[in-house]
Amino acid sequence: MKRWIAFRAILIKDVRSYYLKPPNLSWGLLFPLAWTLMFFLRSQDPIDIRSLLPGVMTLSVLFGTTSMLAVTVTFERKGKSFERLLQAPIPLGLLVLAKTSGAILFGTLNALVPLALAAFYIPLEASGAARLLTACLLLAFSSAFLGLLVAVSVQEVFEAQTLSNFFRFPMVFLCGLFFPLERIPLPLRSLSYILPPTYGADLLRGALGEEILFSTASSLARLTALCMILALLCLRAINRRWID
Amino acid sequence: MKSEPFAFEVRGLRKDFGSLRAVDSLSFGVFPGEIFGFLGPNGAGKTTTIRMLTGLARPTGGRLFFFGEERTADVKAVQHLMGIVPDDNNLYPELTGRANLEFCGALYGMPRKERQERAEMLLERFGLAEAAGRLFGTYSKGMRRKLVLAAALMHRPPILFLDEPTTGIDVASARSIRQLLDDLRCEGTTIFLTTHYIEEAQRLCDRIAFIAEGRLVALDATATLLASAREEGAIDFVVEGEAFSLKEPLGRAFGGVTCRVEGDTVSVRSAEPLRLTPFLNFFRDRGIELREARREKPSLEEVFLRVTGKAPEKRAKEGGGRP
């Protein structure tokens, strides 16, 4: 019970201090809108919103979640307030979950912005809602831990942004959103198979009734496995670098 | 493995950073309810020791005990017993004073009503009630330090770690923090205090450990450490006229003493106790009129100098005051 009081307090503080701040709220809206516009401009043919939606949602989650977590945690590390959390009687796993939960919620809500806009133009079946939400949550979870890995690796906030982009942009081009996986050269394609957005985007495609590359069960299993691996890597990195 | 009757104890504690040994075979115990001073020059290993004791760093070697139980590999299990005041004011600038305290209470699992009541009580006690609704980022240095101390006390910890609690704050705030520490001792809190201010340690601490280059160089009751200084010789003689010509004859007549002359004053120092009569005879035999002879009051600073071989740091105080 005591641990959950701490968990709740950290989550609520982060949501109020970071995610509900007007600049971040507007950023959370503008970013998905910008992605949507980019996809519209790229399209040569009459716009097929349903086929664009998985990509826009994936990018919204990936960019929103990684940025927020990498920046906020680096900011708290620099102000030494993160040490206060490490010195509190909260298991490290629960602490990490509390810090990432705000970003996961933020990322998931980011993904729902283009979905809500799309709902005005295309019919969305309720049957895919659970799959869609699961995909968004798992994508946000993996992105949050990627952001945390960035935070563990840097000292300054600007470094967090730079390092995030170092892996985010290659990811965008390798996860099958812009180029079909089969058109990606073989050595690079092997990288595609270990990227969370590859499976997250595919799950979203399936949930929206589009053609998929992997079975739903396979994508779910692989994405969940990647989430677990990233979480373990984060815990190990924090244990080694922040508890010296 | 049991360790009693200490509130906490370190045995052979060691910490290496690559090839640098920051803490070397440190052993001491802190009794429940005492204020234990941990003094040393900059880079001596004070903060590293606190980081190991509070779970922010892993010892390279040695053992940690809390209330008799070994916790070397599991400091997390006893973190609820600790209140920690780091050398940085690491609360959240974007939260109000009250919200900071309530958040810190929640980190230790305090229910909402209890933490609200405790926060109000501490804000009142620390004289911050009027500023409770202001953002921490807008507080003065003294107010920040007090709030960090209040935050450490939210969950009523039996052990309090204080790293330089009065550094960089004004005289009045430093004085009120020292008064609060005295009150906490009376309430039974065990306090582990690092400070640069020797006078502060001398006034507050029951026992003091001196650390230099990661090693414990002295540990005793404050009174005992002062008594050891008292045994040393330190006499100042004020003579009629200029005293420079006395330096050499004094050195010849009294082996093992060092003399320093400044104007009409000769300061004689010795590692051994000094008797006054031979010096009085020395001046009388040479027909030198002695206006004054005074034994210097021993201070902990002299003990510090002797055991560490270094002067204690005197950080420039922002706010302009001595503690």
Side-chain angles (χ1 to χ4, degrees), chain A residues 2 5-6 9 17 80-81 83-90 239 243-244, chain B residues 15 51 54 56-58 76 79 88 90-92 94 103 106 108-109 115:
Chain A
K2 284 187 171 184
I5 291 175
S17 295
K80 302 270 181 86
S81 52
E83 288 189 355
R84 187 169 283 283
L85 304 178
L86 291 173
Q87 287 172 321
I90 313 162
N239 242 319
I243 305 170
D244 53 5
Chain B
K15 181 67 183 175
R51 287 174 71 84
T54 58
L56 272 186
R58 283 188 198 83
K76 183 61 76 183
Q79 281 177 326
D88 294 292
N90 67 345
L91 286 170
Y92 298 89
E94 71 277 14
F103 177 71
Y108 289 80
R115 59 180 190 254

PDB file of all heavy atoms in Angstrom, chain A residues 2 5-6 9 17 80-81 83-90 239 243-244, chain B residues 15 51 54 56-58 76 79 88 90-92 94 103 106 108-109 115:
ATOM      1  N   LYS A   2       1.894   1.256   0.903  1.00  0.00           N
ATOM      2  CA  LYS A   2       2.769   2.426   0.993  1.00  0.00           C
ATOM      3  C   LYS A   2       3.464   2.690  -0.340  1.00  0.00           C
ATOM      4  O   LYS A   2       3.647   3.832  -0.747  1.00  0.00           O
ATOM      5  CB  LYS A   2       3.813   2.212   2.085  1.00  0.00           C
ATOM      6  CG  LYS A   2       3.247   2.373   3.481  1.00  0.00           C
ATOM      7  CD  LYS A   2       4.339   2.312   4.507  1.00  0.00           C
ATOM      8  CE  LYS A   2       3.798   2.694   5.871  1.00  0.00           C
ATOM      9  NZ  LYS A   2       4.825   2.743   6.890  1.00  0.00           N
ATOM     10  N   ILE A   5       1.193   4.359  -2.741  1.00  0.00           N
ATOM     11  CA  ILE A   5       1.020   5.796  -2.442  1.00  0.00           C
ATOM     12  C   ILE A   5       2.150   6.563  -3.125  1.00  0.00           C
ATOM     13  O   ILE A   5       1.934   7.593  -3.754  1.00  0.00           O
ATOM     14  CB  ILE A   5       1.038   6.044  -0.910  1.00  0.00           C
ATOM     15  CG1 ILE A   5      -0.218   5.451  -0.266  1.00  0.00           C
ATOM     16  CG2 ILE A   5       1.150   7.540  -0.595  1.00  0.00           C
ATOM     17  CD1 ILE A   5      -0.245   5.544   1.258  1.00  0.00           C
ATOM     18  N   ALA A   6       3.373   6.027  -3.004  1.00  0.00           N
ATOM     19  CA  ALA A   6       4.538   6.670  -3.631  1.00  0.00           C
ATOM     20  C   ALA A   6       4.395   6.667  -5.147  1.00  0.00           C
ATOM     21  O   ALA A   6       4.637   7.687  -5.810  1.00  0.00           O
ATOM     22  CB  ALA A   6       5.809   5.949  -3.204  1.00  0.00           C
ATOM     23  N   ALA A   9       1.880   9.213  -6.200  1.00  0.00           N
ATOM     24  CA  ALA A   9       2.379  10.581  -6.006  1.00  0.00           C
ATOM     25  C   ALA A   9       3.347  10.976  -7.127  1.00  0.00           C
ATOM     26  O   ALA A   9       3.282  12.097  -7.643  1.00  0.00           O
ATOM     27  CB  ALA A   9       3.069  10.696  -4.649  1.00  0.00           C
ATOM     28  N   SER A  17       3.313  18.442 -13.350  1.00  0.00           N
ATOM     29  CA  SER A  17       4.494  19.295 -13.560  1.00  0.00           C
ATOM     30  C   SER A  17       4.945  19.342 -15.006  1.00  0.00           C
ATOM     31  O   SER A  17       5.497  20.345 -15.448  1.00  0.00           O
ATOM     32  CB  SER A  17       5.677  18.794 -12.725  1.00  0.00           C
ATOM     33  OG  SER A  17       5.405  18.922 -11.372  1.00  0.00           O
ATOM     34  N   LYS A  80      19.293  17.186  -9.356  1.00  0.00           N
ATOM     35  CA  LYS A  80      19.520  16.228  -8.267  1.00  0.00           C
ATOM     36  C   LYS A  80      18.223  15.758  -7.583  1.00  0.00           C
ATOM     37  O   LYS A  80      18.298  15.039  -6.585  1.00  0.00           O
ATOM     38  CB  LYS A  80      20.458  16.812  -7.202  1.00  0.00           C
ATOM     39  CG  LYS A  80      21.827  17.251  -7.728  1.00  0.00           C
ATOM     40  CD  LYS A  80      22.815  16.120  -7.654  1.00  0.00           C
ATOM     41  CE  LYS A  80      24.187  16.506  -8.132  1.00  0.00           C
ATOM     42  NZ  LYS A  80      25.032  17.089  -7.160  1.00  0.00           N
ATOM     43  N   SER A  81      17.053  16.198  -8.096  1.00  0.00           N
ATOM     44  CA  SER A  81      15.828  15.746  -7.438  1.00  0.00           C
ATOM     45  C   SER A  81      15.578  14.266  -7.714  1.00  0.00           C
ATOM     46  O   SER A  81      14.874  13.606  -6.950  1.00  0.00           O
ATOM     47  CB  SER A  81      14.632  16.593  -7.862  1.00  0.00           C
ATOM     48  OG  SER A  81      14.538  16.658  -9.255  1.00  0.00           O
ATOM     49  N   GLU A  83      17.732  12.030  -7.341  1.00  0.00           N
ATOM     50  CA  GLU A  83      18.404  11.316  -6.243  1.00  0.00           C
ATOM     51  C   GLU A  83      17.449  11.121  -5.071  1.00  0.00           C
ATOM     52  O   GLU A  83      17.518  10.128  -4.354  1.00  0.00           O
ATOM     53  CB  GLU A  83      19.649  12.083  -5.779  1.00  0.00           C
ATOM     54  CG  GLU A  83      20.766  12.014  -6.794  1.00  0.00           C
ATOM     55  CD  GLU A  83      22.074  12.578  -6.285  1.00  0.00           C
ATOM     56  OE1 GLU A  83      22.099  13.123  -5.156  1.00  0.00           O
ATOM     57  OE2 GLU A  83      23.067  12.485  -7.024  1.00  0.00           O
ATOM     58  N   ARG A  84      16.572  12.106  -4.877  1.00  0.00           N
ATOM     59  CA  ARG A  84      15.577  12.011  -3.811  1.00  0.00           C
ATOM     60  C   ARG A  84      14.705  10.762  -4.015  1.00  0.00           C
ATOM     61  O   ARG A  84      14.337  10.083  -3.059  1.00  0.00           O
ATOM     62  CB  ARG A  84      14.727  13.284  -3.837  1.00  0.00           C
ATOM     63  CG  ARG A  84      13.754  13.455  -2.738  1.00  0.00           C
ATOM     64  CD  ARG A  84      13.204  14.856  -2.749  1.00  0.00           C
ATOM     65  NE  ARG A  84      14.142  15.822  -2.203  1.00  0.00           N
ATOM     66  CZ  ARG A  84      14.370  15.976  -0.888  1.00  0.00           C
ATOM     67  NH1 ARG A  84      13.732  15.244  -0.008  1.00  0.00           N
ATOM     68  NH2 ARG A  84      15.252  16.858  -0.470  1.00  0.00           N
ATOM     69  N   LEU A  85      14.374  10.485  -5.271  1.00  0.00           N
ATOM     70  CA  LEU A  85      13.549   9.305  -5.574  1.00  0.00           C
ATOM     71  C   LEU A  85      14.345   8.023  -5.339  1.00  0.00           C
ATOM     72  O   LEU A  85      13.819   7.041  -4.817  1.00  0.00           O
ATOM     73  CB  LEU A  85      13.054   9.351  -7.019  1.00  0.00           C
ATOM     74  CG  LEU A  85      12.269  10.605  -7.436  1.00  0.00           C
ATOM     75  CD1 LEU A  85      11.880  10.533  -8.905  1.00  0.00           C
ATOM     76  CD2 LEU A  85      11.022  10.750  -6.573  1.00  0.00           C
ATOM     77  N   LEU A  86      15.628   8.055  -5.722  1.00  0.00           N
ATOM     78  CA  LEU A  86      16.462   6.856  -5.529  1.00  0.00           C
ATOM     79  C   LEU A  86      16.709   6.573  -4.046  1.00  0.00           C
ATOM     80  O   LEU A  86      16.963   5.436  -3.656  1.00  0.00           O
ATOM     81  CB  LEU A  86      17.806   7.015  -6.248  1.00  0.00           C
ATOM     82  CG  LEU A  86      17.763   7.014  -7.775  1.00  0.00           C
ATOM     83  CD1 LEU A  86      19.130   7.358  -8.355  1.00  0.00           C
ATOM     84  CD2 LEU A  86      17.318   5.666  -8.318  1.00  0.00           C
ATOM     85  N   GLN A  87      16.645   7.629  -3.217  1.00  0.00           N
ATOM     86  CA  GLN A  87      16.884   7.451  -1.777  1.00  0.00           C
ATOM     87  C   GLN A  87      15.596   7.136  -1.009  1.00  0.00           C
ATOM     88  O   GLN A  87      15.637   6.936   0.194  1.00  0.00           O
ATOM     89  CB  GLN A  87      17.540   8.703  -1.194  1.00  0.00           C
ATOM     90  CG  GLN A  87      19.009   8.833  -1.611  1.00  0.00           C
ATOM     91  CD  GLN A  87      19.623  10.156  -1.198  1.00  0.00           C
ATOM     92  OE1 GLN A  87      18.991  11.194  -1.261  1.00  0.00           O
ATOM     93  NE2 GLN A  87      20.875  10.117  -0.767  1.00  0.00           N
ATOM     94  N   ALA A  88      14.467   7.135  -1.713  1.00  0.00           N
ATOM     95  CA  ALA A  88      13.190   6.797  -1.064  1.00  0.00           C
ATOM     96  C   ALA A  88      13.017   5.277  -1.062  1.00  0.00           C
ATOM     97  O   ALA A  88      13.555   4.590  -1.928  1.00  0.00           O
ATOM     98  CB  ALA A  88      12.053   7.471  -1.814  1.00  0.00           C
ATOM     99  N   PRO A  89      12.253   4.760  -0.087  1.00  0.00           N
ATOM    100  CA  PRO A  89      12.127   3.294   0.018  1.00  0.00           C
ATOM    101  C   PRO A  89      11.155   2.714  -1.014  1.00  0.00           C
ATOM    102  O   PRO A  89      10.157   2.088  -0.669  1.00  0.00           O
ATOM    103  CB  PRO A  89      11.611   3.106   1.450  1.00  0.00           C
ATOM    104  CG  PRO A  89      10.883   4.362   1.766  1.00  0.00           C
ATOM    105  CD  PRO A  89      11.561   5.460   1.007  1.00  0.00           C
ATOM    106  N   ILE A  90      11.443   2.975  -2.268  1.00  0.00           N
ATOM    107  CA  ILE A  90      10.608   2.454  -3.363  1.00  0.00           C
ATOM    108  C   ILE A  90      11.489   1.526  -4.197  1.00  0.00           C
ATOM    109  O   ILE A  90      12.573   1.943  -4.607  1.00  0.00           O
ATOM    110  CB  ILE A  90      10.118   3.597  -4.284  1.00  0.00           C
ATOM    111  CG1 ILE A  90       9.571   4.756  -3.450  1.00  0.00           C
ATOM    112  CG2 ILE A  90       9.102   3.104  -5.284  1.00  0.00           C
ATOM    113  CD1 ILE A  90       9.478   6.054  -4.243  1.00  0.00           C
ATOM    114  N   ASN A 239      20.868   0.954 -12.484  1.00  0.00           N
ATOM    115  CA  ASN A 239      21.601   0.319 -11.380  1.00  0.00           C
ATOM    116  C   ASN A 239      23.100   0.533 -11.489  1.00  0.00           C
ATOM    117  O   ASN A 239      23.790   0.710 -10.488  1.00  0.00           O
ATOM    118  CB  ASN A 239      21.323  -1.188 -11.400  1.00  0.00           C
ATOM    119  CG  ASN A 239      20.639  -1.613 -10.135  1.00  0.00           C
ATOM    120  OD1 ASN A 239      21.003  -1.149  -9.047  1.00  0.00           O
ATOM    121  ND2 ASN A 239      19.660  -2.471 -10.247  1.00  0.00           N
ATOM    122  N   ILE A 243      23.353   4.409  -9.529  1.00  0.00           N
ATOM    123  CA  ILE A 243      23.700   3.967  -8.182  1.00  0.00           C
ATOM    124  C   ILE A 243      25.125   3.451  -8.315  1.00  0.00           C
ATOM    125  O   ILE A 243      25.356   2.284  -8.592  1.00  0.00           O
ATOM    126  CB  ILE A 243      22.742   2.873  -7.667  1.00  0.00           C
ATOM    127  CG1 ILE A 243      21.299   3.379  -7.742  1.00  0.00           C
ATOM    128  CG2 ILE A 243      23.084   2.472  -6.238  1.00  0.00           C
ATOM    129  CD1 ILE A 243      20.254   2.339  -7.487  1.00  0.00           C
ATOM    130  N   ASP A 244      26.060   4.386  -8.197  1.00  0.00           N
ATOM    131  CA  ASP A 244      27.441   4.050  -8.564  1.00  0.00           C
ATOM    132  C   ASP A 244      28.109   3.346  -7.395  1.00  0.00           C
ATOM    133  O   ASP A 244      29.239   3.068  -7.353  1.00  0.00           O
ATOM    134  CB  ASP A 244      28.202   5.303  -9.004  1.00  0.00           C
ATOM    135  CG  ASP A 244      28.120   6.435  -7.988  1.00  0.00           C
ATOM    136  OD1 ASP A 244      27.550   6.206  -6.909  1.00  0.00           O
ATOM    137  OD2 ASP A 244      28.614   7.532  -8.268  1.00  0.00           O
TER     138      ASP A 244
ATOM    139  N   LYS B  15      35.564   2.559  -0.905  1.00  0.00           N
ATOM    140  CA  LYS B  15      34.960   2.915  -2.187  1.00  0.00           C
ATOM    141  C   LYS B  15      36.040   3.347  -3.161  1.00  0.00           C
ATOM    142  O   LYS B  15      36.806   4.272  -2.885  1.00  0.00           O
ATOM    143  CB  LYS B  15      33.953   4.058  -1.994  1.00  0.00           C
ATOM    144  CG  LYS B  15      33.258   4.486  -3.264  1.00  0.00           C
ATOM    145  CD  LYS B  15      32.331   3.415  -3.802  1.00  0.00           C
ATOM    146  CE  LYS B  15      31.685   3.802  -5.125  1.00  0.00           C
ATOM    147  NZ  LYS B  15      30.893   2.704  -5.683  1.00  0.00           N
ATOM    148  N   ARG B  51      26.688   8.900   0.646  1.00  0.00           N
ATOM    149  CA  ARG B  51      26.025   8.264  -0.505  1.00  0.00           C
ATOM    150  C   ARG B  51      25.979   6.755  -0.339  1.00  0.00           C
ATOM    151  O   ARG B  51      24.996   6.114  -0.698  1.00  0.00           O
ATOM    152  CB  ARG B  51      26.740   8.645  -1.811  1.00  0.00           C
ATOM    153  CG  ARG B  51      26.500  10.080  -2.241  1.00  0.00           C
ATOM    154  CD  ARG B  51      27.327  10.455  -3.448  1.00  0.00           C
ATOM    155  NE  ARG B  51      26.870   9.823  -4.664  1.00  0.00           N
ATOM    156  CZ  ARG B  51      25.887  10.289  -5.426  1.00  0.00           C
ATOM    157  NH1 ARG B  51      25.280  11.400  -5.098  1.00  0.00           N
ATOM    158  NH2 ARG B  51      25.520   9.656  -6.519  1.00  0.00           N
ATOM    159  N   THR B  54      23.335   5.929   2.347  1.00  0.00           N
ATOM    160  CA  THR B  54      21.939   6.190   1.988  1.00  0.00           C
ATOM    161  C   THR B  54      21.495   5.469   0.715  1.00  0.00           C
ATOM    162  O   THR B  54      20.372   5.672   0.254  1.00  0.00           O
ATOM    163  CB  THR B  54      21.693   7.710   1.809  1.00  0.00           C
ATOM    164  OG1 THR B  54      22.586   8.202   0.801  1.00  0.00           O
ATOM    165  CG2 THR B  54      21.922   8.464   3.106  1.00  0.00           C
ATOM    166  N   LEU B  56      22.907   5.513  -2.431  1.00  0.00           N
ATOM    167  CA  LEU B  56      23.171   6.109  -3.751  1.00  0.00           C
ATOM    168  C   LEU B  56      24.475   5.613  -4.362  1.00  0.00           C
ATOM    169  O   LEU B  56      24.772   5.899  -5.512  1.00  0.00           O
ATOM    170  CB  LEU B  56      23.231   7.630  -3.648  1.00  0.00           C
ATOM    171  CG  LEU B  56      21.920   8.391  -3.779  1.00  0.00           C
ATOM    172  CD1 LEU B  56      22.174   9.885  -3.795  1.00  0.00           C
ATOM    173  CD2 LEU B  56      21.138   7.986  -5.011  1.00  0.00           C
ATOM    174  N   ALA B  57      25.251   4.917  -3.558  1.00  0.00           N
ATOM    175  CA  ALA B  57      26.505   4.351  -4.072  1.00  0.00           C
ATOM    176  C   ALA B  57      26.724   3.002  -3.408  1.00  0.00           C
ATOM    177  O   ALA B  57      26.297   2.785  -2.273  1.00  0.00           O
ATOM    178  CB  ALA B  57      27.669   5.291  -3.777  1.00  0.00           C
ATOM    179  N   ARG B  58      27.364   2.119  -4.152  1.00  0.00           N
ATOM    180  CA  ARG B  58      27.649   0.784  -3.606  1.00  0.00           C
ATOM    181  C   ARG B  58      29.075   0.746  -3.076  1.00  0.00           C
ATOM    182  O   ARG B  58      30.003   1.145  -3.793  1.00  0.00           O
ATOM    183  CB  ARG B  58      27.518  -0.279  -4.698  1.00  0.00           C
ATOM    184  CG  ARG B  58      26.111  -0.625  -5.009  1.00  0.00           C
ATOM    185  CD  ARG B  58      26.036  -1.823  -5.946  1.00  0.00           C
ATOM    186  NE  ARG B  58      24.718  -1.833  -6.518  1.00  0.00           N
ATOM    187  CZ  ARG B  58      24.346  -1.122  -7.569  1.00  0.00           C
ATOM    188  NH1 ARG B  58      25.234  -0.398  -8.199  1.00  0.00           N
ATOM    189  NH2 ARG B  58      23.127  -1.146  -7.996  1.00  0.00           N
ATOM    190  N   LYS B  76      18.346  -0.377   0.543  1.00  0.00           N
ATOM    191  CA  LYS B  76      16.967  -0.020   0.186  1.00  0.00           C
ATOM    192  C   LYS B  76      15.991  -0.400   1.303  1.00  0.00           C
ATOM    193  O   LYS B  76      15.032   0.326   1.582  1.00  0.00           O
ATOM    194  CB  LYS B  76      16.634  -0.735  -1.129  1.00  0.00           C
ATOM    195  CG  LYS B  76      15.289  -0.481  -1.756  1.00  0.00           C
ATOM    196  CD  LYS B  76      14.984   0.920  -2.155  1.00  0.00           C
ATOM    197  CE  LYS B  76      15.616   1.457  -3.379  1.00  0.00           C
ATOM    198  NZ  LYS B  76      15.254   2.899  -3.597  1.00  0.00           N
ATOM    199  N   GLN B  79      15.918   2.356   3.956  1.00  0.00           N
ATOM    200  CA  GLN B  79      15.824   3.774   3.555  1.00  0.00           C
ATOM    201  C   GLN B  79      14.650   4.488   4.228  1.00  0.00           C
ATOM    202  O   GLN B  79      14.677   5.705   4.387  1.00  0.00           O
ATOM    203  CB  GLN B  79      15.719   3.897   2.032  1.00  0.00           C
ATOM    204  CG  GLN B  79      17.078   3.752   1.333  1.00  0.00           C
ATOM    205  CD  GLN B  79      16.981   3.799  -0.176  1.00  0.00           C
ATOM    206  OE1 GLN B  79      16.004   3.344  -0.747  1.00  0.00           O
ATOM    207  NE2 GLN B  79      18.014   4.315  -0.823  1.00  0.00           N
ATOM    208  N   ASP B  88      22.903  19.670  -1.859  1.00  0.00           N
ATOM    209  CA  ASP B  88      22.119  20.479  -2.803  1.00  0.00           C
ATOM    210  C   ASP B  88      20.683  20.580  -2.307  1.00  0.00           C
ATOM    211  O   ASP B  88      20.178  19.645  -1.689  1.00  0.00           O
ATOM    212  CB  ASP B  88      22.080  19.801  -4.182  1.00  0.00           C
ATOM    213  CG  ASP B  88      23.433  19.751  -4.816  1.00  0.00           C
ATOM    214  OD1 ASP B  88      23.941  20.810  -5.176  1.00  0.00           O
ATOM    215  OD2 ASP B  88      23.984  18.637  -4.944  1.00  0.00           O
ATOM    216  N   ASN B  90      17.659  19.867  -3.268  1.00  0.00           N
ATOM    217  CA  ASN B  90      17.122  19.120  -4.416  1.00  0.00           C
ATOM    218  C   ASN B  90      15.615  18.873  -4.354  1.00  0.00           C
ATOM    219  O   ASN B  90      15.158  17.793  -4.701  1.00  0.00           O
ATOM    220  CB  ASN B  90      17.877  17.797  -4.566  1.00  0.00           C
ATOM    221  CG  ASN B  90      17.610  16.847  -3.419  1.00  0.00           C
ATOM    222  OD1 ASN B  90      17.090  17.252  -2.378  1.00  0.00           O
ATOM    223  ND2 ASN B  90      17.928  15.584  -3.594  1.00  0.00           N
ATOM    224  N   LEU B  91      14.867  19.889  -3.909  1.00  0.00           N
ATOM    225  CA  LEU B  91      13.408  19.770  -4.008  1.00  0.00           C
ATOM    226  C   LEU B  91      12.970  20.285  -5.386  1.00  0.00           C
ATOM    227  O   LEU B  91      13.810  20.697  -6.186  1.00  0.00           O
ATOM    228  CB  LEU B  91      12.745  20.542  -2.878  1.00  0.00           C
ATOM    229  CG  LEU B  91      12.863  19.850  -1.501  1.00  0.00           C
ATOM    230  CD1 LEU B  91      12.408  20.770  -0.388  1.00  0.00           C
ATOM    231  CD2 LEU B  91      12.089  18.546  -1.451  1.00  0.00           C
ATOM    232  N   TYR B  92      11.669  20.284  -5.607  1.00  0.00           N
ATOM    233  CA  TYR B  92      11.167  20.596  -6.941  1.00  0.00           C
ATOM    234  C   TYR B  92      10.807  22.080  -7.055  1.00  0.00           C
ATOM    235  O   TYR B  92       9.883  22.537  -6.383  1.00  0.00           O
ATOM    236  CB  TYR B  92       9.953  19.723  -7.249  1.00  0.00           C
ATOM    237  CG  TYR B  92      10.317  18.263  -7.244  1.00  0.00           C
ATOM    238  CD1 TYR B  92      10.256  17.506  -6.069  1.00  0.00           C
ATOM    239  CD2 TYR B  92      10.773  17.629  -8.398  1.00  0.00           C
ATOM    240  CE1 TYR B  92      10.625  16.174  -6.055  1.00  0.00           C
ATOM    241  CE2 TYR B  92      11.140  16.297  -8.396  1.00  0.00           C
ATOM    242  CZ  TYR B  92      11.065  15.579  -7.220  1.00  0.00           C
ATOM    243  OH  TYR B  92      11.449  14.267  -7.211  1.00  0.00           O
ATOM    244  N   GLU B  94       9.274  23.694  -9.204  1.00  0.00           N
ATOM    245  CA  GLU B  94       7.962  23.998  -9.792  1.00  0.00           C
ATOM    246  C   GLU B  94       6.808  23.698  -8.836  1.00  0.00           C
ATOM    247  O   GLU B  94       5.655  23.955  -9.151  1.00  0.00           O
ATOM    248  CB  GLU B  94       7.776  23.221 -11.108  1.00  0.00           C
ATOM    249  CG  GLU B  94       7.587  21.718 -10.978  1.00  0.00           C
ATOM    250  CD  GLU B  94       8.879  20.936 -10.847  1.00  0.00           C
ATOM    251  OE1 GLU B  94       9.938  21.551 -10.600  1.00  0.00           O
ATOM    252  OE2 GLU B  94       8.821  19.693 -10.957  1.00  0.00           O
ATOM    253  N   PHE B 103       4.628  15.798  -1.133  1.00  0.00           N
ATOM    254  CA  PHE B 103       5.177  14.827  -2.087  1.00  0.00           C
ATOM    255  C   PHE B 103       6.221  13.942  -1.404  1.00  0.00           C
ATOM    256  O   PHE B 103       6.217  12.716  -1.565  1.00  0.00           O
ATOM    257  CB  PHE B 103       5.790  15.552  -3.284  1.00  0.00           C
ATOM    258  CG  PHE B 103       6.443  14.633  -4.282  1.00  0.00           C
ATOM    259  CD1 PHE B 103       5.680  13.802  -5.083  1.00  0.00           C
ATOM    260  CD2 PHE B 103       7.824  14.576  -4.396  1.00  0.00           C
ATOM    261  CE1 PHE B 103       6.277  12.937  -5.992  1.00  0.00           C
ATOM    262  CE2 PHE B 103       8.429  13.720  -5.305  1.00  0.00           C
ATOM    263  CZ  PHE B 103       7.653  12.891  -6.103  1.00  0.00           C
ATOM    264  N   ALA B 106       4.620  11.423   0.718  1.00  0.00           N
ATOM    265  CA  ALA B 106       4.033  10.347  -0.088  1.00  0.00           C
ATOM    266  C   ALA B 106       5.093   9.346  -0.538  1.00  0.00           C
ATOM    267  O   ALA B 106       4.825   8.145  -0.624  1.00  0.00           O
ATOM    268  CB  ALA B 106       3.324  10.947  -1.296  1.00  0.00           C
ATOM    269  N   TYR B 108       7.355   8.237   1.109  1.00  0.00           N
ATOM    270  CA  TYR B 108       7.572   7.305   2.208  1.00  0.00           C
ATOM    271  C   TYR B 108       6.268   6.627   2.619  1.00  0.00           C
ATOM    272  O   TYR B 108       6.165   6.052   3.704  1.00  0.00           O
ATOM    273  CB  TYR B 108       8.233   8.030   3.387  1.00  0.00           C
ATOM    274  CG  TYR B 108       9.668   8.386   3.072  1.00  0.00           C
ATOM    275  CD1 TYR B 108       9.972   9.501   2.305  1.00  0.00           C
ATOM    276  CD2 TYR B 108      10.711   7.563   3.485  1.00  0.00           C
ATOM    277  CE1 TYR B 108      11.274   9.812   1.963  1.00  0.00           C
ATOM    278  CE2 TYR B 108      12.021   7.870   3.149  1.00  0.00           C
ATOM    279  CZ  TYR B 108      12.294   8.993   2.386  1.00  0.00           C
ATOM    280  OH  TYR B 108      13.604   9.277   2.046  1.00  0.00           O
ATOM    281  N   GLY B 109       5.254   6.725   1.763  1.00  0.00           N
ATOM    282  CA  GLY B 109       4.006   5.990   1.967  1.00  0.00           C
ATOM    283  C   GLY B 109       3.067   6.591   2.991  1.00  0.00           C
ATOM    284  O   GLY B 109       2.166   5.903   3.464  1.00  0.00           O
ATOM    285  N   ARG B 115       0.048  13.235   5.921  1.00  0.00           N
ATOM    286  CA  ARG B 115       1.114  14.074   5.354  1.00  0.00           C
ATOM    287  C   ARG B 115       0.706  15.535   5.281  1.00  0.00           C
ATOM    288  O   ARG B 115       1.536  16.430   5.406  1.00  0.00           O
ATOM    289  CB  ARG B 115       1.623  13.536   4.022  1.00  0.00           C
ATOM    290  CG  ARG B 115       0.666  13.387   2.899  1.00  0.00           C
ATOM    291  CD  ARG B 115       1.371  12.835   1.661  1.00  0.00           C
ATOM    292  NE  ARG B 115       0.526  12.908   0.504  1.00  0.00           N
ATOM    293  CZ  ARG B 115      -0.080  11.868  -0.064  1.00  0.00           C
ATOM    294  NH1 ARG B 115       0.094  10.654   0.417  1.00  0.00           N
ATOM    295  NH2 ARG B 115      -0.848  12.016  -1.119  1.00  0.00           N
TER     296      ARG B 115
END
